Amino acid sequence: MASAAEGDVGTVAELAKVLRFGFEELSLNKLATSLGASEQALRLIISIFMGYPLAVFYRRYLFFKDTYLIHLFHTFTGLSIAYFNFGNQLYHSLLCIVLQFLILRLMGRTVTAVLTTYCFQMAYLLAGYYYTATGNYDIKWTMPHCVLTLKLIGLAVDYFDGGKDQNSLSSEQQKYAIRGVPSLLEVAGFSYFYGAFLVGPQFSMNHYMKLVQGQLTDTPGKIPNSTIPALRRLSLGLVYLVGYTVLSPHITEDYLLTEDYENHPFWFRCMYMLLWGKFVLNKYVTCWLVTEGVCILTGLGFNGFDEHGKAQWDACANMKVWLFETTPRFTGTIASFNINTNAWVARYFFKRLKFLGNKELSQGLSLLFLALWHGLHSGYLVCFQMEFLIVIVERQAASLIQESPALSRLSSITVLQPFYYLVQQTIHWLFMGYSMTAFCLFTWDKWLKVYKSVYFLGHVFFLSLLFILPYVHKAMVPRKEKLKKMG
């Protein structure tokens, strides 16, 4: 009888589990459909916003507790978020974290450990892209894994630097070098931190350890006064989220592939590409602002004090929103967008290529690394190739205007400043949209179709300038200015 009763209880429990899972799937599906989003996108948004109650719990109950409890909390919550979004595929992140810990322990602070980490972590990520890639943007386990890949590579490089003589390191390397030996629990907590596991931002192990040791606060010995700064970033993120939700049904990359788009006049195709290019980035801005708020709330966003003694909370900022919205330059957009990832590439890749003795080559290889890190689609390579080309041309143009007396005087006319700004912004966002077309459409047949419809305008415009500007510079810059620059 007891055995039968236990069996019945087990059956009921199993049935309840299945029904609960079924209701969860049904409700999420219905809610996602009503919002015009995919279920995976909804799960992602829920997970990002869940960082706020988790951060409140951490502040209230764990901020000054034993570090192992905090590592456990971060590991458990991160794994739960991974399971909620990707189910059993969370094993990918778990496997790479454990293997990375073993690489550090078995190979030590060696170049071999760093190279092994680069090769293994990137190979694993690229294999994931290869086996899961489709022609559309899908939210899969590879999305947080690309964030994790950079974290683990940075961990290996910082651990390697920690074994060097401090005097041989730059001030930046000294700041990030890991002197101790991280435990598996520390590496797991660092990797699974709920405020950054899914979409970033990047931060170092040293910065994370300051968090768990209670050092990231503006009032030593007390919980940080970071609630208001966190709510500001959350509010700004919500503004972008609402804007994106309202406009996303009307401004889509799919329209770029339609006959209706092709049948419109050339000026319309260009203007739509401009507006879409400005709009499409808002989904990334939304996620980064919301997660930055989580990081600020926990204290991870604390970045010391400014010269007036005011606490700064921008250590995990991935966006400089004002600069992003107002800059008329491509380099300004790069400096204001995905800041921590760009800083990571500069610190762990670009500057490590100094031995090549060629800044442009190092920059080109860094952009190639970024393109591969994003995925295997040809669109990523085209996008970052365009970025490389645009930045070179923009520097040439800025140098020409600065060094040519005639152009310098013309550019300084106050009454013409609004006109210059409007022209710059039009060029800026038109070709930002042109570059993002390849990035968002992924496959060559799609982006090639759109580029044909605008007659490869971006490539023609910037390649022409690349070859023309040196001759213009030679003609318009006096010899004495050139000699002064050389001197």
Side-chain angles (χ1 to χ4, degrees), residues 378-411:
S378 59
Y380 294 129
L381 290 171
V382 173
C383 176
F384 285 101
Q385 164 266 316
M386 277 302 302
E387 178 184 326
F388 186 51
L389 174 61
I390 290 170
V391 167
I392 291 174
V393 171
E394 187 173 75
R395 285 174 182 164
Q396 286 182 342
S399 176
L400 173 62
I401 293 170
Q402 184 179 3
E403 295 172 20
S404 167
L407 292 178
S408 184
R409 284 194 300 271
L410 189 63
S411 66

Side-chain angles (χ1 to χ4, degrees), residues 216-482:
L216 295 183
T217 174
D218 56 333
T219 52
K222 295 182 180 180
I223 293 172
N225 298 303
S226 58
T227 303
I228 299 301
L231 290 177
R232 287 197 189 108
R233 300 310 269 182
L234 171 62
S235 301
L236 196 53
L238 288 173
V239 170
Y240 275 93
L241 177 61
V242 170
Y244 183 78
T245 303
V246 171
L247 294 175
S248 57
H250 309 291
I251 306 176
T252 68
E253 56 261 33
D254 292 336
Y255 181 69
L256 295 167
L257 299 169
T258 62
E259 286 187 19
D260 188 50
Y261 175 77
E262 283 193 62
N263 291 334
H264 273 92
F266 177 70
W267 68 264
F268 176 89
R269 280 174 268 157
C270 290
M271 287 306 298
Y272 184 88
M273 184 176 284
L274 182 154
L275 292 172
W276 170 80
K278 182 75 177 75
F279 167 76
V280 72
L281 296 176
N282 287 356
K283 60 184 176 183
Y284 304 106
V285 177
T286 296
C287 291
W288 291 334
L289 287 174
V290 174
T291 54
E292 184 191 345
V294 175
C295 293
I296 291 172
L297 194 58
T298 62
L300 193 70
F302 182 62
N303 198 22
F305 300 90
D306 63 16
E307 62 273 16
H308 304 294
K310 184 179 178 181
Q312 300 180 106
W313 299 100
D314 58 354
C316 294
N318 235 359
M319 287 296 305
K320 293 179 180 177
V321 177
W322 180 253
L323 178 62
F324 174 75
E325 294 292 352
T326 59
T327 181
R329 293 190 175 192
F330 292 92
T331 47
T333 298
I334 293 168
S336 64
F337 187 81
N338 206 1
I339 297 169
N340 276 289
T341 300
N342 291 336
W344 187 100
V345 173
R347 186 162 62 244
Y348 297 110
F349 200 89
F350 176 77
K351 292 178 182 178
R352 306 280 169 166
L353 296 176
K354 192 175 181 180
F355 66 91
L356 294 175
N358 188 312
K359 190 175 181 180
E360 283 71 27
L361 178 59
S362 297
Q363 186 180 5
L365 290 173
S366 298
L367 290 172
L368 176 60
F369 173 82
L370 264 178
L372 291 173
W373 175 71
H374 276 90
L376 295 174
H377 290 299
S378 59
Y380 294 129
L381 290 171
V382 173
C383 176
F384 285 101
Q385 164 266 316
M386 277 302 302
E387 178 184 326
F388 186 51
L389 174 61
I390 290 170
V391 167
I392 291 174
V393 171
E394 187 173 75
R395 285 174 182 164
Q396 286 182 342
S399 176
L400 173 62
I401 293 170
Q402 184 179 3
E403 295 172 20
S404 167
L407 292 178
S408 184
R409 284 194 300 271
L410 189 63
S411 66
S412 62
I413 298 174
T414 305
V415 71
L416 293 177
Q417 294 299 316
F419 173 73
Y420 295 151
Y421 182 78
L422 181 62
V423 171
Q424 278 187 286
Q425 281 287 28
T426 301
I427 294 172
H428 172 207
W429 284 111
L430 171 59
F431 294 113
M432 186 63 71
Y434 183 88
S435 302
M436 288 301 297
T437 296
F439 188 93
C440 293
L441 294 181
F442 305 123
T443 57
W444 69 270
D445 55 318
K446 291 180 180 179
W447 58 256
L448 189 61
K449 179 181 179 181
V450 179
Y451 281 179
K452 282 181 179 178
S453 73
V454 292
Y455 312 112
F456 291 91
L457 180 62
H459 286 85
V460 171
F461 182 75
F462 284 101
L463 284 172
S464 299
L465 287 176
L466 181 67
F467 291 106
I468 293 171
L469 284 177
Y471 294 101
V472 177
H473 188 278
K474 187 176 181 180
M476 298 194 70
V477 177
R479 180 171 174 78
K480 62 180 181 180
E481 291 292 329
K482 296 174 184 175

Side-chain angles (χ1 to χ4, degrees), residues 69-84:
L69 289 175
I70 299 174
H71 294 311
L72 283 171
F73 175 68
H74 291 159
T75 303
F76 175 75
T77 52
L79 281 168
S80 299
I81 289 170
Y83 184 77
F84 175 68

Side-chain angles (χ1 to χ4, degrees), residues 56-338:
V56 170
F57 180 88
Y58 167 72
R59 286 167 60 94
R60 178 68 180 82
Y61 298 106
L62 293 173
F63 196 84
F64 289 112
K65 297 297 183 183
D66 291 337
T67 56
Y68 79 91
L69 289 175
I70 299 174
H71 294 311
L72 283 171
F73 175 68
H74 291 159
T75 303
F76 175 75
T77 52
L79 281 168
S80 299
I81 289 170
Y83 184 77
F84 175 68
N85 283 273
F86 311 110
N88 293 331
Q89 289 182 329
L90 66 84
Y91 78 84
H92 292 289
S93 60
L94 199 57
L95 175 63
C96 286
I97 290 167
V98 172
L99 288 176
Q100 185 57 50
F101 171 75
L102 292 175
I103 289 171
L104 298 183
R105 282 299 177 92
L106 297 177
M107 296 185 180
R109 303 177 191 271
T110 62
V111 174
T112 304
V114 172
L115 293 177
T116 301
T117 297
Y118 262 107
C119 294
F120 170 72
Q121 297 295 354
M122 282 300 294
Y124 198 100
L125 177 65
L126 294 178
Y129 286 147
Y130 179 80
Y131 287 108
T132 64
T134 65
N136 300 304
Y137 184 79
D138 301 313
I139 298 174
K140 304 178 291 290
W141 65 267
T142 51
M143 185 193 70
H145 203 86
C146 70
V147 177
L148 178 65
T149 297
L150 296 191
K151 270 189 180 180
L152 296 178
I153 291 173
L155 174 67
V157 176
D158 290 338
Y159 187 66
F160 170 69
D161 286 344
K164 292 182 178 180
D165 178 16
Q166 191 164 349
N167 295 326
S168 68
L169 301 176
S170 67
S171 57
E172 183 182 54
Q173 290 170 344
Q174 291 177 21
K175 178 181 177 181
Y176 296 106
I178 299 170
R179 298 296 172 184
V181 181
S183 67
L184 179 59
L185 185 58
E186 289 170 345
V187 174
F190 164 68
S191 302
Y192 280 118
F193 174 68
Y194 52 86
F197 172 68
L198 288 174
V199 295
Q202 294 293 328
F203 52 87
S204 68
M205 171 63 92
N206 282 353
H207 194 67
Y208 170 76
M209 291 302 292
K210 287 180 181 178
L211 173 72
V212 299
Q213 291 164 5
Q215 297 178 25
L216 295 183
T217 174
D218 56 333
T219 52
K222 295 182 180 180
I223 293 172
N225 298 303
S226 58
T227 303
I228 299 301
L231 290 177
R232 287 197 189 108
R233 300 310 269 182
L234 171 62
S235 301
L236 196 53
L238 288 173
V239 170
Y240 275 93
L241 177 61
V242 170
Y244 183 78
T245 303
V246 171
L247 294 175
S248 57
H250 309 291
I251 306 176
T252 68
E253 56 261 33
D254 292 336
Y255 181 69
L256 295 167
L257 299 169
T258 62
E259 286 187 19
D260 188 50
Y261 175 77
E262 283 193 62
N263 291 334
H264 273 92
F266 177 70
W267 68 264
F268 176 89
R269 280 174 268 157
C270 290
M271 287 306 298
Y272 184 88
M273 184 176 284
L274 182 154
L275 292 172
W276 170 80
K278 182 75 177 75
F279 167 76
V280 72
L281 296 176
N282 287 356
K283 60 184 176 183
Y284 304 106
V285 177
T286 296
C287 291
W288 291 334
L289 287 174
V290 174
T291 54
E292 184 191 345
V294 175
C295 293
I296 291 172
L297 194 58
T298 62
L300 193 70
F302 182 62
N303 198 22
F305 300 90
D306 63 16
E307 62 273 16
H308 304 294
K310 184 179 178 181
Q312 300 180 106
W313 299 100
D314 58 354
C316 294
N318 235 359
M319 287 296 305
K320 293 179 180 177
V321 177
W322 180 253
L323 178 62
F324 174 75
E325 294 292 352
T326 59
T327 181
R329 293 190 175 192
F330 292 92
T331 47
T333 298
I334 293 168
S336 64
F337 187 81
N338 206 1

